[in-house]
Amino acid sequence: MQIFTDIRSASSHARNLCQRQVLVPTMGALHRGHLELFRLARELAGQEGEVIVSIFVNPLQFAAGGDYGKYPRPEAGDAALCQQAGVDVLFRPATAEMYATEPSVFVEETELAQTLCGKSRPGHFRGVCTVVSKLFNILTPDVAIFGEKDFQQLAIIRRLVRDLNFEIEIVGAPTVREEDGLACSSRNQYLNVAEREQAPVLRRALLRAKDGGTSAAEVLKKTREMISAAPLSRIDYASIVDAESLQPVSLIDENAVLAVAVFFGQTRLIDNIRLR
Ligand code: AMP
């Protein structure tokens, strides 16, 4: 595995290679969810192609006072996991390398980013779109993989690629879960024992919503009740939206997605489910 920390060598490596290159952007603190994305990347790249993983905790997508400072950064462990997973290239730039000058140009999606997490975390998707555009420009992959766990992010990245004409195929990967149904997340390690015990209520509530009829209002009411029954939970949002427009729907059809964001203590967890 080759590790690049500077943009120039990562970029010239990527440009001098003719084989299919598949990128998996991450913020590190790797877990089974990430490893599944790496496995899919190898499948799409083939043995001849190249799997590229980026690890960068992007300050631009964190709110002031958010968890940017304490976000876990287990560098050596992450590199070992990449190596074991058969990753070909690890791109791990320092913050000063990615943002060498004070940036005055940003990439902003102005429609899909107005709802759900975009509403609760102003500026978050501007940070995501900006850093993903930079990674696409630096690494010029043929394919990039994003997890369906971050369902709004995936929709916004598809829009970014469409509207800015990146010649990159975007592939969504199913959510990987712990045995009790909690979606794997780098932030799960912030949960204390009691919070961790209660967090799987998210998955149970989402599964229950699947056979809750066609009225979005009724399904949302039951979902909120079920989540709120966990004493340590605090709902940020629970919404039923159209999978493409991300606009709320009142009638549940085959495009309806139930998306939730719930705090357990200081930790904000997200999850979603296709209702049909
Ligand atoms: P992160 O490191 O949290 O920014 O995540 C990097 C990529 O991994 C994103 O595309 C996420 O959607 C994806 N991802 C995170 N958790 C999971 C999971 N449990 N299952 C599948 N993909 C995931």
Side-chain angles (χ1 to χ4, degrees), residues 24-34 36-38 54 56 61 71 145-151 153-154 171 173-178 182-188:
V24 183
T26 82
M27 297 204 300
L30 301 176
H31 50 67
R32 287 191 301 111
H34 295 116
E36 182 54 26
L37 267 52
F38 301 169
S54 63
F56 181 62
Q61 69 190 67
Y71 199 86
I145 303 181
F146 294 84
E148 288 170 358
K149 182 177 88 82
D150 298 274
F151 138 85
Q153 170 173 278
L154 176 57
V171 172
T175 301
V176 175
R177 299 177 180 282
E178 303 295 348
L182 178 65
C184 298
S185 164
S186 308
R187 291 192 166 94
N188 289 352

Side-chain angles (χ1 to χ4, degrees), residues 22 39 41 49 64 75 94 123 136 146 161 166 168 182 195 197 222 233 239 252:
V22 181
R39 194 199 56 73
E75 276 189 19
F136 285 177
F146 294 84
V161 164
F166 282 108
I168 299 172
L182 178 65
E195 291 161 354
E197 254 172 44
K222 284 192 190 131
S233 73
S239 295
I252 293 172

Side-chain angles (χ1 to χ4, degrees), residues 43-185:
E43 208 175 289
L44 296 175
Q47 288 313 316
E48 299 299 308
E50 196 165 75
V51 173
I52 306 174
V53 169
S54 63
I55 296 183
F56 181 62
V57 185
N58 175 31
L60 220 56
Q61 69 190 67
F62 287 78
D67 63 346
Y68 174 70
K70 73 163 186 172
Y71 199 86
R73 294 165 169 86
E75 276 189 19
D78 278 352
L81 284 172
C82 287
Q83 175 90 49
Q84 282 162 26
V87 168
D88 298 302
V89 169
L90 173 57
F91 178 51
R92 196 175 56 186
T95 310
E97 176 73 9
M98 279 298 264
Y99 298 110
T101 48
E102 276 289 303
S104 60
V105 176
F106 302 91
V107 182
E108 191 162 7
E109 197 286 328
T110 57
E111 195 178 294
L112 306 177
Q114 300 301 316
T115 61
L116 307 173
C117 291
K119 214 172 181 175
S120 317
R121 305 179 69 187
H124 170 69
F125 288 117
R126 179 181 188 249
V128 170
C129 287
T130 302
V131 82
V132 168
S133 301
K134 285 165 74 77
L135 290 169
F136 285 177
N137 283 331
I138 294 165
L139 300 167
T140 60
D142 301 287
V143 181
I145 303 181
F146 294 84
E148 288 170 358
K149 182 177 88 82
D150 298 274
F151 138 85
Q152 184 177 20
Q153 170 173 278
L154 176 57
I156 289 173
I157 299 294
R158 289 193 196 282
R159 207 43 95 76
L160 168 76
V161 164
R162 183 195 80 175
D163 287 0
L164 294 189
N165 306 92
F166 282 108
E167 266 193 61
I168 299 172
E169 182 191 345
I170 302 301
V171 172
T175 301
V176 175
R177 299 177 180 282
E178 303 295 348
E179 263 183 29
D180 57 13
L182 178 65
C184 298
S185 164

Side-chain angles (χ1 to χ4, degrees), residues 111-113 115-116 151 155 159 241-249 255:
E111 195 178 294
L112 306 177
T115 61
L116 307 173
F151 138 85
R159 207 43 95 76
V241 298
D242 176 81
E244 268 172 39
S245 70
L246 307 191
Q247 288 306 303
V249 296
N255 292 322

